[in-house]
Protein backbone atom coordinates (compact mmCIF):
# COMPACT_ATOMS: atom_id res chain seq x y z
CA UNK A 1 0.00 0.00 0.00
CA UNK A 2 1.45 3.43 -0.87
CA UNK A 3 1.91 5.75 2.09
CA UNK A 4 1.40 9.50 2.31
CA UNK A 5 2.36 12.04 4.95
CA UNK A 6 0.05 15.04 5.12
CA UNK A 7 1.35 18.15 6.87
CA UNK A 8 -1.51 20.05 8.53
CA UNK A 9 -4.88 18.75 9.74
CA UNK A 10 -6.90 21.78 8.63
CA UNK A 11 -9.80 21.41 6.21
CA UNK A 12 -7.56 20.98 3.19
CA UNK A 13 -5.44 18.26 4.82
CA UNK A 14 -8.46 16.39 6.21
CA UNK A 15 -10.32 16.43 2.90
CA UNK A 16 -7.19 15.21 1.08
CA UNK A 17 -6.69 12.49 3.72
CA UNK A 18 -10.04 10.92 2.87
CA UNK A 19 -9.31 10.97 -0.86
CA UNK A 20 -6.06 9.11 -0.22
CA UNK A 21 -7.67 6.68 2.21
CA UNK A 22 -10.49 5.96 -0.25
CA UNK A 23 -7.83 5.13 -2.85
CA UNK A 24 -6.18 2.62 -0.49
CA UNK A 25 -3.25 4.73 0.73
CA UNK A 26 -1.88 4.56 4.26
CA UNK A 27 -2.32 8.11 5.55
CA UNK A 28 -0.56 9.87 8.43
CA UNK A 29 -1.32 13.49 9.25
CA UNK A 30 1.15 15.65 11.17
CA UNK A 31 -0.41 18.56 13.05
CA UNK A 32 1.48 21.10 15.14
CA UNK A 33 -1.45 21.90 17.44
CA UNK A 34 -3.48 19.74 19.84
CA UNK A 35 -6.58 19.57 17.64
CA UNK A 36 -7.85 19.43 14.09
CA UNK A 37 -9.45 22.11 11.93
CA UNK A 38 -6.73 24.77 11.69
CA UNK A 39 -8.54 28.04 11.12
CA UNK A 40 -11.93 26.31 11.50
CA UNK A 41 -11.65 26.78 15.24
CA UNK A 42 -14.06 26.75 18.20
CA UNK A 43 -13.56 27.48 21.90
CA UNK A 44 -15.79 26.45 24.80
CA UNK A 45 -15.33 28.69 27.83
CA UNK A 46 -17.49 29.79 30.76
CA UNK A 47 -20.67 28.51 29.12
CA UNK A 48 -19.96 30.19 25.77
CA UNK A 49 -19.25 28.23 22.57
CA UNK A 50 -17.74 30.42 19.85
CA UNK A 51 -15.94 30.20 16.52
CA UNK A 52 -12.89 32.43 16.87
CA UNK A 53 -11.72 31.66 13.32
CA UNK A 54 -13.96 30.89 10.35
CA UNK A 55 -17.61 31.76 10.95
CA UNK A 56 -19.44 29.27 8.76
CA UNK A 57 -19.06 27.12 5.64
CA UNK A 58 -20.59 28.29 2.41
CA UNK A 59 -22.13 25.93 -0.11
CA UNK A 60 -19.35 24.84 -2.44
CA UNK A 61 -19.46 22.35 -5.28
CA UNK A 62 -22.02 19.54 -4.96
CA UNK A 63 -19.10 17.23 -4.03
CA UNK A 64 -17.83 19.34 -1.11
CA UNK A 65 -21.38 20.13 0.05
CA UNK A 66 -22.12 16.39 0.09
CA UNK A 67 -19.15 15.85 2.44
CA UNK A 68 -20.84 18.15 4.95
CA UNK A 69 -24.48 17.23 4.44
CA UNK A 70 -24.05 13.50 3.80
CA UNK A 71 -20.74 11.71 4.37
CA UNK A 72 -19.70 13.63 7.51
CA UNK A 73 -23.17 14.75 8.54
CA UNK A 74 -23.79 15.17 12.26
CA UNK A 75 -27.15 15.76 13.96
CA UNK A 76 -26.19 19.26 15.10
CA UNK A 77 -25.64 20.67 11.60
CA UNK A 78 -27.43 24.02 11.22
CA UNK A 79 -28.05 26.62 8.55
CA UNK A 80 -27.79 30.16 9.93
CA UNK A 81 -31.05 31.53 8.57
CA UNK A 82 -30.76 35.22 9.33
CA UNK A 83 -29.01 37.25 6.61
CA UNK A 84 -25.71 39.11 6.57
CA UNK A 85 -26.13 42.87 6.14
CA UNK A 86 -23.50 45.41 5.12
CA UNK A 87 -22.08 48.63 6.58
CA UNK A 88 -19.69 51.23 5.23
CA UNK A 89 -16.85 53.31 6.64
CA UNK A 90 -19.36 55.92 7.84
CA UNK A 91 -21.29 53.29 9.77
CA UNK A 92 -24.36 53.19 7.49
CA UNK A 93 -26.04 49.80 7.80
CA UNK A 94 -28.21 48.32 5.05
CA UNK A 95 -29.49 44.99 3.71
CA UNK A 96 -26.90 42.75 2.06
CA UNK A 97 -26.76 40.90 -1.23
CA UNK A 98 -29.97 38.88 -1.66
CA UNK A 99 -28.37 36.21 -3.81
CA UNK A 100 -25.55 35.58 -1.34
CA UNK A 101 -28.00 35.56 1.55
CA UNK A 102 -30.10 32.92 -0.19
CA UNK A 103 -27.17 30.47 0.10
CA UNK A 104 -26.83 28.25 3.15
CA UNK A 105 -24.47 29.35 5.92
CA UNK A 106 -23.57 26.02 7.47
CA UNK A 107 -22.39 25.56 11.03
CA UNK A 108 -23.00 23.36 14.08
CA UNK A 109 -24.78 23.88 17.38
CA UNK A 110 -21.62 22.81 19.18
CA UNK A 111 -19.22 24.86 17.10
CA UNK A 112 -17.66 24.75 13.67
CA UNK A 113 -14.97 22.29 14.81
CA UNK A 114 -17.66 19.61 14.81
CA UNK A 115 -16.93 19.17 11.09
CA UNK A 116 -13.14 18.68 11.25
CA UNK A 117 -13.53 16.50 14.37
CA UNK A 118 -15.99 14.28 12.53
CA UNK A 119 -13.69 14.13 9.50
CA UNK A 120 -10.75 13.21 11.75
CA UNK A 121 -12.50 10.14 13.16
CA UNK A 122 -10.50 7.05 12.27
CA UNK A 123 -7.59 8.96 10.72
CA UNK A 124 -4.06 8.54 12.03
CA UNK A 125 -2.99 11.98 13.28
CA UNK A 126 0.25 12.82 15.03
CA UNK A 127 -0.71 15.85 17.17
CA UNK A 128 1.62 18.46 18.68
CA UNK A 129 4.15 17.63 15.98
CA UNK A 130 5.56 20.63 14.18
CA UNK A 131 7.43 19.51 11.07
CA UNK A 132 10.37 21.83 10.51
CA UNK A 133 12.07 20.26 7.50
CA UNK A 134 11.76 17.37 5.09
CA UNK A 135 14.24 15.28 3.17
CA UNK A 136 13.85 13.45 -0.10
CA UNK A 137 15.57 10.05 0.09
CA UNK A 138 15.73 7.06 -2.24
CA UNK A 139 13.22 5.26 0.00
CA UNK A 140 10.78 8.18 0.16
CA UNK A 141 10.21 11.26 2.28
CA UNK A 142 11.64 11.73 5.77
CA UNK A 143 10.19 14.39 8.07
CA UNK A 144 11.87 16.11 11.01
CA UNK A 145 9.94 17.69 13.86
CA UNK A 146 10.83 20.50 16.25
CA UNK A 147 11.33 18.04 19.13
CA UNK A 148 14.16 16.26 17.29
CA UNK A 149 12.23 13.18 16.12
CA UNK A 150 12.05 12.03 12.53
CA UNK A 151 9.56 9.95 10.56
CA UNK A 152 10.72 8.06 7.48
CA UNK A 153 9.50 6.00 4.56
CA UNK A 154 6.59 7.99 3.13
CA UNK A 155 6.08 7.47 -0.60
CA UNK A 156 4.27 10.80 -0.93
CA UNK A 157 4.36 14.15 0.84
CA UNK A 158 1.34 16.48 0.86
CA UNK A 159 1.82 19.97 2.33
CA UNK A 160 -1.19 22.07 3.38
CA UNK A 161 0.43 24.80 5.51
CA UNK A 162 -0.31 28.46 4.71
CA UNK A 163 2.10 29.29 1.86
CA UNK A 164 4.53 31.51 3.83
CA UNK A 165 4.96 28.68 6.36
CA UNK A 166 5.27 26.10 3.58
CA UNK A 167 7.97 28.23 1.95
CA UNK A 168 9.93 28.42 5.22
CA UNK A 169 9.71 24.64 5.57
CA UNK A 170 10.96 24.08 2.02
CA UNK A 171 13.79 26.57 2.54
CA UNK A 172 14.98 24.54 5.54
CA UNK A 173 14.65 21.18 3.72
CA UNK A 174 16.96 18.87 1.82
CA UNK A 175 15.43 18.72 -1.64
CA UNK A 176 17.16 18.70 -5.00
CA UNK A 177 18.35 22.32 -5.41
CA UNK A 178 16.62 23.20 -8.69
CA UNK A 179 13.27 21.93 -7.42
CA UNK A 180 13.74 23.65 -4.07
CA UNK A 181 14.44 26.99 -5.79
CA UNK A 182 11.45 26.54 -8.09
CA UNK A 183 9.09 25.88 -5.15
CA UNK A 184 10.43 28.84 -3.16
CA UNK A 185 10.09 31.13 -6.16
CA UNK A 186 6.49 30.03 -6.77
CA UNK A 187 5.43 30.33 -3.11
CA UNK A 188 7.14 33.67 -2.43
CA UNK A 189 4.44 35.99 -3.86
CA UNK A 190 1.80 34.50 -1.52
CA UNK A 191 0.83 36.71 1.39
CA UNK A 192 -1.76 36.65 4.16
CA UNK A 193 -3.45 39.42 6.10
CA UNK A 194 -3.41 39.27 9.90
CA UNK A 195 -6.71 39.42 11.75
CA UNK A 196 -7.69 40.17 15.34
CA UNK A 197 -10.87 38.46 16.50
CA UNK A 198 -12.41 40.18 19.52
CA UNK A 199 -14.98 38.13 21.42
CA UNK A 200 -17.42 39.81 23.79
CA UNK A 201 -19.99 38.00 25.95
CA UNK A 202 -22.92 40.03 27.30
CA UNK A 203 -25.65 39.61 29.88
CA UNK A 204 -28.36 40.48 29.06
CA UNK A 205 -28.24 39.77 25.35
CA UNK A 206 -27.58 42.75 23.02
CA UNK A 207 -30.59 43.98 21.04
CA UNK A 208 -31.96 41.51 18.48
CA UNK A 209 -31.41 42.66 14.89
CA UNK A 210 -32.90 41.62 11.55
CA UNK A 211 -29.48 40.21 10.60
CA UNK A 212 -27.04 37.61 11.98
CA UNK A 213 -23.92 39.55 11.03
CA UNK A 214 -22.61 42.71 9.39
CA UNK A 215 -19.78 42.90 6.87
CA UNK A 216 -17.93 46.08 5.97
CA UNK A 217 -18.52 46.53 2.24
CA UNK A 218 -16.13 49.40 1.41
CA UNK A 219 -13.20 48.23 3.59
CA UNK A 220 -13.06 51.70 5.16
CA UNK A 221 -14.13 50.73 8.69
CA UNK A 222 -11.66 49.27 11.23
CA UNK A 223 -14.17 46.47 11.88
CA UNK A 224 -14.48 44.12 8.92
CA UNK A 225 -17.06 41.70 10.35
CA UNK A 226 -19.41 41.73 13.33
CA UNK A 227 -21.47 38.65 14.20
CA UNK A 228 -24.14 37.85 16.77
CA UNK A 229 -22.75 34.44 17.73
CA UNK A 230 -25.83 33.47 19.80
CA UNK A 231 -27.91 33.60 16.60
CA UNK A 232 -26.20 30.35 15.53
CA UNK A 233 -27.92 28.33 18.28
CA UNK A 234 -29.19 28.98 21.82
CA UNK A 235 -26.65 26.42 23.12
CA UNK A 236 -23.87 28.84 22.18
CA UNK A 237 -24.41 31.08 25.24
CA UNK A 238 -25.58 30.82 28.87
CA UNK A 239 -29.27 31.67 29.44
CA UNK A 240 -30.26 35.23 28.50
CA UNK A 241 -26.70 36.02 27.44
CA UNK A 242 -25.35 37.00 24.07
CA UNK A 243 -22.03 37.11 22.26
CA UNK A 244 -20.60 39.43 19.63
CA UNK A 245 -17.56 38.55 17.52
CA UNK A 246 -15.72 41.41 15.85
CA UNK A 247 -13.11 40.64 13.22
CA UNK A 248 -10.86 43.60 12.64
CA UNK A 249 -9.69 44.75 9.21
CA UNK A 250 -6.10 44.19 8.02
CA UNK A 251 -4.91 47.71 8.88
CA UNK A 252 -6.22 47.72 12.44
CA UNK A 253 -5.10 44.12 12.97
CA UNK A 254 -1.54 44.75 11.73
CA UNK A 255 -1.23 47.91 13.85
CA UNK A 256 -2.53 46.19 17.01
CA UNK A 257 -0.90 42.76 16.86
CA UNK A 258 1.14 43.64 19.96
CA UNK A 259 -1.40 45.92 21.72
CA UNK A 260 -2.57 44.57 25.08
CA UNK A 261 -5.77 42.52 25.22
CA UNK A 262 -7.42 45.04 27.55
CA UNK A 263 -6.75 47.99 25.26
CA UNK A 264 -7.92 46.18 22.11
CA UNK A 265 -11.07 44.93 23.80
CA UNK A 266 -11.92 48.38 25.18
CA UNK A 267 -11.34 50.11 21.84
CA UNK A 268 -13.33 47.57 19.85
CA UNK A 269 -16.25 47.47 22.32
CA UNK A 270 -16.54 51.26 21.91
CA UNK A 271 -16.40 51.01 18.11
CA UNK A 272 -19.17 48.41 18.18
CA UNK A 273 -21.41 50.54 20.42
CA UNK A 274 -20.84 53.49 18.08
CA UNK A 275 -21.56 51.45 14.94
CA UNK A 276 -24.74 49.94 16.39
CA UNK A 277 -25.84 53.10 18.18
CA UNK A 278 -26.52 50.84 21.13
CA UNK A 279 -25.47 51.23 24.73
CA UNK A 280 -23.78 47.97 25.59
CA UNK A 281 -23.05 47.06 29.22
CA UNK A 282 -19.57 45.88 30.20
CA UNK A 283 -18.98 42.43 28.75
CA UNK A 284 -19.16 39.55 31.25
CA UNK A 285 -16.71 37.54 29.16
CA UNK A 286 -13.95 38.52 26.74
CA UNK A 287 -11.41 36.74 24.60
CA UNK A 288 -9.08 37.68 21.78
CA UNK A 289 -7.46 35.67 19.01
CA UNK A 290 -4.55 37.05 17.00
CA UNK A 291 -4.36 35.33 13.60
CA UNK A 292 -1.06 36.12 11.88
CA UNK A 293 -2.04 34.21 8.74
CA UNK A 294 -5.80 34.74 8.55
CA UNK A 295 -6.86 35.18 4.94
CA UNK A 296 -4.79 35.16 1.74
CA UNK A 297 -4.15 38.69 0.43
CA UNK A 298 -2.21 37.39 -2.57
CA UNK A 299 -2.87 33.91 -3.96
CA UNK A 300 -0.37 31.86 -5.97
CA UNK A 301 -0.79 29.43 -8.86
CA UNK A 302 -1.12 25.96 -7.36
CA UNK A 303 -1.47 24.20 -10.71
CA UNK A 304 1.88 25.54 -11.94
CA UNK A 305 3.57 24.63 -8.65
CA UNK A 306 2.12 21.12 -8.48
CA UNK A 307 2.96 20.48 -12.14
CA UNK A 308 6.62 20.77 -11.07
CA UNK A 309 6.38 18.84 -7.79
CA UNK A 310 3.94 15.99 -8.53
CA UNK A 311 6.55 13.97 -10.47
CA UNK A 312 8.65 14.12 -7.26
CA UNK A 313 5.69 12.72 -5.28
CA UNK A 314 5.25 16.04 -3.54
CA UNK A 315 2.13 18.25 -3.61
CA UNK A 316 0.79 21.48 -2.12
CA UNK A 317 -2.78 22.44 -1.27
CA UNK A 318 -4.63 24.95 0.88
CA UNK A 319 -6.28 28.32 0.71
CA UNK A 320 -3.15 30.16 -0.53
CA UNK A 321 -3.95 28.69 -3.96
CA UNK A 322 -7.71 29.19 -4.07
CA UNK A 323 -8.75 31.94 -1.62
CA UNK A 324 -9.70 32.06 2.04
CA UNK A 325 -12.79 29.88 2.24
CA UNK A 326 -13.28 26.53 3.94
CA UNK A 327 -15.08 24.89 1.04
CA UNK A 328 -12.37 26.06 -1.37
CA UNK A 329 -9.61 24.69 0.87
CA UNK A 330 -11.43 21.33 1.05
CA UNK A 331 -12.07 21.22 -2.68
CA UNK A 332 -8.43 22.03 -3.41
CA UNK A 333 -7.22 19.30 -1.04
CA UNK A 334 -9.42 16.76 -2.82
CA UNK A 335 -8.44 17.91 -6.31
CA UNK A 336 -4.69 17.83 -5.66
CA UNK A 337 -4.90 14.46 -3.85
CA UNK A 338 -6.71 13.03 -6.87
CA UNK A 339 -4.04 14.44 -9.21
CA UNK A 340 -1.35 12.73 -7.16
CA UNK A 341 -3.31 9.46 -7.06
CA UNK A 342 -4.13 9.46 -10.76
CA UNK A 343 -0.54 10.00 -11.90
CA UNK A 344 0.59 6.75 -10.24
C1 LIG B 1 -10.76 34.86 11.45
C2 LIG B 1 -11.07 34.06 10.21
C3 LIG B 1 -12.35 34.05 9.69
C4 LIG B 1 -12.67 33.29 8.56
N1 LIG B 1 -13.96 33.21 8.14
C5 LIG B 1 -14.30 32.31 7.20
C6 LIG B 1 -15.67 32.03 6.93
O1 LIG B 1 -16.58 32.56 7.57
N2 LIG B 1 -15.96 31.12 5.96
C7 LIG B 1 -14.97 30.47 5.27
O2 LIG B 1 -15.29 29.66 4.40
N3 LIG B 1 -13.66 30.70 5.53
C8 LIG B 1 -13.30 31.58 6.49
N4 LIG B 1 -11.99 31.77 6.81
C9 LIG B 1 -10.95 31.13 6.00
C10 LIG B 1 -10.79 29.64 6.32
O3 LIG B 1 -10.73 29.45 7.71
C11 LIG B 1 -9.51 29.13 5.66
O4 LIG B 1 -9.51 29.48 4.29
C12 LIG B 1 -9.36 27.61 5.77
O5 LIG B 1 -9.57 27.20 7.10
C13 LIG B 1 -7.99 27.20 5.28
O6 LIG B 1 -7.81 25.81 5.47
P1 LIG B 1 -6.38 25.15 5.19
O7 LIG B 1 -6.53 23.71 5.48
O8 LIG B 1 -5.91 25.59 3.86
O9 LIG B 1 -5.39 25.85 6.24
P2 LIG B 1 -5.35 25.80 7.84
O10 LIG B 1 -6.72 25.76 8.40
O11 LIG B 1 -4.47 26.92 8.26
O12 LIG B 1 -4.66 24.41 8.15
C14 LIG B 1 -3.26 24.25 8.17
C15 LIG B 1 -2.90 23.36 9.35
O13 LIG B 1 -1.49 23.16 9.34
C16 LIG B 1 -1.03 23.17 10.68
N5 LIG B 1 0.40 23.48 10.63
C17 LIG B 1 0.99 24.68 10.32
N6 LIG B 1 2.33 24.55 10.33
C18 LIG B 1 2.60 23.25 10.63
C19 LIG B 1 3.81 22.50 10.75
N7 LIG B 1 5.00 23.07 10.57
N8 LIG B 1 3.72 21.18 11.05
C20 LIG B 1 2.50 20.58 11.24
N9 LIG B 1 1.32 21.25 11.14
C21 LIG B 1 1.38 22.56 10.82
C22 LIG B 1 -1.88 24.24 11.34
O14 LIG B 1 -1.90 24.11 12.76
C23 LIG B 1 -3.24 23.98 10.70
O15 LIG B 1 -4.01 23.06 11.46
C24 LIG B 1 -11.65 32.53 7.93
C25 LIG B 1 -10.35 32.55 8.46
C26 LIG B 1 -10.06 33.29 9.59
C27 LIG B 1 -8.68 33.24 10.18
Amino acid sequence: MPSVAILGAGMSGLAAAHSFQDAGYTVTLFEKSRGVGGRAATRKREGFIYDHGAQYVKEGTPASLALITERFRTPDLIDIKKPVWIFDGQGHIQAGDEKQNAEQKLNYRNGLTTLPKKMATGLSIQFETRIINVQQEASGWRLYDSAGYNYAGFDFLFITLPAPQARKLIQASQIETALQQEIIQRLTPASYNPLLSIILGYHPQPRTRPYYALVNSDKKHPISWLAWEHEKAPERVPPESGMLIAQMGPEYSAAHMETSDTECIQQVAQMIAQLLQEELLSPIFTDIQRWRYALPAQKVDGDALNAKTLPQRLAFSGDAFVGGRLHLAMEHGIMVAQQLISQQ
Side-chain angles (χ1 to χ4, degrees), residues 11 29 35 75 104 125 143 182 214 219 237 247 274 319 327:
M11 295 310 293
L29 291 114
Q104 295 189 88
I125 307 179
L143 322 177
E182 176 94 37
L214 291 172
K219 303 196 187 311
V237 291
Q247 294 178 352
Q274 166 86 17
D319 69 349
H327 65 283

PDB file of all heavy atoms in Angstrom, residues 11 29 35 75 104 125 143 182 214 219 237 247 274 319 327:
ATOM      1  N   MET A  11      -8.770  21.957   7.093  1.00  0.00           N
ATOM      2  CA  MET A  11      -9.805  21.407   6.212  1.00  0.00           C
ATOM      3  C   MET A  11      -9.227  20.844   4.922  1.00  0.00           C
ATOM      4  O   MET A  11      -9.730  19.860   4.385  1.00  0.00           O
ATOM      5  CB  MET A  11     -10.857  22.475   5.898  1.00  0.00           C
ATOM      6  CG  MET A  11     -11.638  22.933   7.112  1.00  0.00           C
ATOM      7  SD  MET A  11     -12.321  21.583   8.096  1.00  0.00           S
ATOM      8  CE  MET A  11     -13.496  20.936   6.944  1.00  0.00           C
ATOM      9  N   LEU A  29      -1.332  12.023   9.219  1.00  0.00           N
ATOM     10  CA  LEU A  29      -1.325  13.491   9.253  1.00  0.00           C
ATOM     11  C   LEU A  29      -0.419  13.956  10.385  1.00  0.00           C
ATOM     12  O   LEU A  29      -0.400  13.349  11.466  1.00  0.00           O
ATOM     13  CB  LEU A  29      -2.738  14.036   9.478  1.00  0.00           C
ATOM     14  CG  LEU A  29      -3.704  13.845   8.311  1.00  0.00           C
ATOM     15  CD1 LEU A  29      -4.809  12.899   8.707  1.00  0.00           C
ATOM     16  CD2 LEU A  29      -4.292  15.175   7.865  1.00  0.00           C
ATOM     17  N   GLY A  35      -5.293  19.974  18.216  1.00  0.00           N
ATOM     18  CA  GLY A  35      -6.575  19.570  17.642  1.00  0.00           C
ATOM     19  C   GLY A  35      -6.592  19.740  16.137  1.00  0.00           C
ATOM     20  O   GLY A  35      -5.643  20.265  15.543  1.00  0.00           O
ATOM     21  N   PRO A  75     -25.789  15.292  13.668  1.00  0.00           N
ATOM     22  CA  PRO A  75     -27.152  15.761  13.963  1.00  0.00           C
ATOM     23  C   PRO A  75     -27.214  17.242  14.307  1.00  0.00           C
ATOM     24  O   PRO A  75     -28.282  17.840  14.228  1.00  0.00           O
ATOM     25  CB  PRO A  75     -27.570  14.924  15.179  1.00  0.00           C
ATOM     26  CG  PRO A  75     -26.522  13.893  15.377  1.00  0.00           C
ATOM     27  CD  PRO A  75     -25.320  14.269  14.598  1.00  0.00           C
ATOM     28  N   GLN A 104     -26.924  28.749   1.771  1.00  0.00           N
ATOM     29  CA  GLN A 104     -26.831  28.252   3.147  1.00  0.00           C
ATOM     30  C   GLN A 104     -25.554  28.768   3.811  1.00  0.00           C
ATOM     31  O   GLN A 104     -24.527  28.915   3.159  1.00  0.00           O
ATOM     32  CB  GLN A 104     -26.788  26.730   3.153  1.00  0.00           C
ATOM     33  CG  GLN A 104     -28.050  26.074   2.645  1.00  0.00           C
ATOM     34  CD  GLN A 104     -28.004  24.577   2.895  1.00  0.00           C
ATOM     35  OE1 GLN A 104     -28.401  24.103   3.943  1.00  0.00           O
ATOM     36  NE2 GLN A 104     -27.499  23.853   1.920  1.00  0.00           N
ATOM     37  N   ILE A 125      -3.489  10.596  13.192  1.00  0.00           N
ATOM     38  CA  ILE A 125      -2.987  11.980  13.278  1.00  0.00           C
ATOM     39  C   ILE A 125      -1.966  12.084  14.403  1.00  0.00           C
ATOM     40  O   ILE A 125      -2.236  11.683  15.536  1.00  0.00           O
ATOM     41  CB  ILE A 125      -4.138  12.988  13.531  1.00  0.00           C
ATOM     42  CG1 ILE A 125      -5.252  12.800  12.492  1.00  0.00           C
ATOM     43  CG2 ILE A 125      -3.608  14.423  13.511  1.00  0.00           C
ATOM     44  CD1 ILE A 125      -6.452  13.712  12.660  1.00  0.00           C
ATOM     45  N   LEU A 143      10.606  13.124   7.463  1.00  0.00           N
ATOM     46  CA  LEU A 143      10.187  14.390   8.070  1.00  0.00           C
ATOM     47  C   LEU A 143      10.892  14.573   9.409  1.00  0.00           C
ATOM     48  O   LEU A 143      11.061  13.601  10.150  1.00  0.00           O
ATOM     49  CB  LEU A 143       8.672  14.396   8.334  1.00  0.00           C
ATOM     50  CG  LEU A 143       7.747  13.739   7.308  1.00  0.00           C
ATOM     51  CD1 LEU A 143       6.304  13.799   7.800  1.00  0.00           C
ATOM     52  CD2 LEU A 143       7.869  14.444   5.966  1.00  0.00           C
ATOM     53  N   GLU A 182      12.700  26.366  -7.338  1.00  0.00           N
ATOM     54  CA  GLU A 182      11.451  26.538  -8.089  1.00  0.00           C
ATOM     55  C   GLU A 182      10.260  26.699  -7.123  1.00  0.00           C
ATOM     56  O   GLU A 182       9.414  27.578  -7.282  1.00  0.00           O
ATOM     57  CB  GLU A 182      11.252  25.291  -8.971  1.00  0.00           C
ATOM     58  CG  GLU A 182       9.968  25.269  -9.743  1.00  0.00           C
ATOM     59  CD  GLU A 182      10.111  25.828 -11.150  1.00  0.00           C
ATOM     60  OE1 GLU A 182      11.163  25.599 -11.766  1.00  0.00           O
ATOM     61  OE2 GLU A 182       9.152  26.487 -11.609  1.00  0.00           O
ATOM     62  N   LEU A 214     -22.840  41.550  10.262  1.00  0.00           N
ATOM     63  CA  LEU A 214     -22.605  42.705   9.390  1.00  0.00           C
ATOM     64  C   LEU A 214     -21.222  42.576   8.778  1.00  0.00           C
ATOM     65  O   LEU A 214     -20.272  42.206   9.479  1.00  0.00           O
ATOM     66  CB  LEU A 214     -22.610  43.987  10.224  1.00  0.00           C
ATOM     67  CG  LEU A 214     -23.932  44.450  10.824  1.00  0.00           C
ATOM     68  CD1 LEU A 214     -23.680  45.625  11.770  1.00  0.00           C
ATOM     69  CD2 LEU A 214     -24.898  44.854   9.711  1.00  0.00           C
ATOM     70  N   LYS A 219     -14.517  48.447   2.955  1.00  0.00           N
ATOM     71  CA  LYS A 219     -13.202  48.229   3.595  1.00  0.00           C
ATOM     72  C   LYS A 219     -12.636  49.523   4.182  1.00  0.00           C
ATOM     73  O   LYS A 219     -11.428  49.721   4.243  1.00  0.00           O
ATOM     74  CB  LYS A 219     -12.209  47.591   2.615  1.00  0.00           C
ATOM     75  CG  LYS A 219     -12.715  46.269   2.046  1.00  0.00           C
ATOM     76  CD  LYS A 219     -11.624  45.461   1.392  1.00  0.00           C
ATOM     77  CE  LYS A 219     -12.127  44.230   0.667  1.00  0.00           C
ATOM     78  NZ  LYS A 219     -13.038  43.375   1.406  1.00  0.00           N
ATOM     79  N   VAL A 237     -24.612  30.123  24.136  1.00  0.00           N
ATOM     80  CA  VAL A 237     -24.408  31.084  25.241  1.00  0.00           C
ATOM     81  C   VAL A 237     -25.185  30.649  26.485  1.00  0.00           C
ATOM     82  O   VAL A 237     -26.177  29.926  26.370  1.00  0.00           O
ATOM     83  CB  VAL A 237     -24.870  32.510  24.831  1.00  0.00           C
ATOM     84  CG1 VAL A 237     -23.952  33.105  23.788  1.00  0.00           C
ATOM     85  CG2 VAL A 237     -26.310  32.509  24.330  1.00  0.00           C
ATOM     86  N   GLN A 247     -14.375  40.917  13.906  1.00  0.00           N
ATOM     87  CA  GLN A 247     -13.109  40.636  13.220  1.00  0.00           C
ATOM     88  C   GLN A 247     -12.611  41.963  12.671  1.00  0.00           C
ATOM     89  O   GLN A 247     -13.339  42.659  11.955  1.00  0.00           O
ATOM     90  CB  GLN A 247     -13.324  39.626  12.095  1.00  0.00           C
ATOM     91  CG  GLN A 247     -13.726  38.258  12.627  1.00  0.00           C
ATOM     92  CD  GLN A 247     -13.999  37.252  11.524  1.00  0.00           C
ATOM     93  OE1 GLN A 247     -14.033  37.601  10.346  1.00  0.00           O
ATOM     94  NE2 GLN A 247     -14.200  36.017  11.904  1.00  0.00           N
ATOM     95  N   GLN A 274     -20.681  52.336  18.984  1.00  0.00           N
ATOM     96  CA  GLN A 274     -20.836  53.486  18.076  1.00  0.00           C
ATOM     97  C   GLN A 274     -21.498  53.053  16.764  1.00  0.00           C
ATOM     98  O   GLN A 274     -22.431  53.681  16.274  1.00  0.00           O
ATOM     99  CB  GLN A 274     -19.428  54.054  17.829  1.00  0.00           C
ATOM    100  CG  GLN A 274     -19.280  55.014  16.696  1.00  0.00           C
ATOM    101  CD  GLN A 274     -19.617  56.428  17.151  1.00  0.00           C
ATOM    102  OE1 GLN A 274     -19.639  56.695  18.350  1.00  0.00           O
ATOM    103  NE2 GLN A 274     -19.903  57.296  16.209  1.00  0.00           N
ATOM    104  N   ASP A 319      -5.579  27.131   1.197  1.00  0.00           N
ATOM    105  CA  ASP A 319      -6.278  28.319   0.708  1.00  0.00           C
ATOM    106  C   ASP A 319      -5.374  29.337   0.023  1.00  0.00           C
ATOM    107  O   ASP A 319      -5.873  30.229  -0.661  1.00  0.00           O
ATOM    108  CB  ASP A 319      -7.140  28.950   1.812  1.00  0.00           C
ATOM    109  CG  ASP A 319      -6.347  29.586   2.932  1.00  0.00           C
ATOM    110  OD1 ASP A 319      -5.125  29.380   2.992  1.00  0.00           O
ATOM    111  OD2 ASP A 319      -6.968  30.295   3.753  1.00  0.00           O
ATOM    112  N   HIS A 327     -14.699  25.844   2.090  1.00  0.00           N
ATOM    113  CA  HIS A 327     -15.080  24.887   1.039  1.00  0.00           C
ATOM    114  C   HIS A 327     -14.030  24.863  -0.071  1.00  0.00           C
ATOM    115  O   HIS A 327     -13.756  23.813  -0.648  1.00  0.00           O
ATOM    116  CB  HIS A 327     -16.482  25.187   0.494  1.00  0.00           C
ATOM    117  CG  HIS A 327     -16.605  26.488  -0.229  1.00  0.00           C
ATOM    118  ND1 HIS A 327     -16.676  27.698   0.412  1.00  0.00           N
ATOM    119  CD2 HIS A 327     -16.652  26.780  -1.550  1.00  0.00           C
ATOM    120  CE1 HIS A 327     -16.778  28.670  -0.480  1.00  0.00           C
ATOM    121  NE2 HIS A 327     -16.762  28.137  -1.681  1.00  0.00           N
TER     122      HIS A 327
END
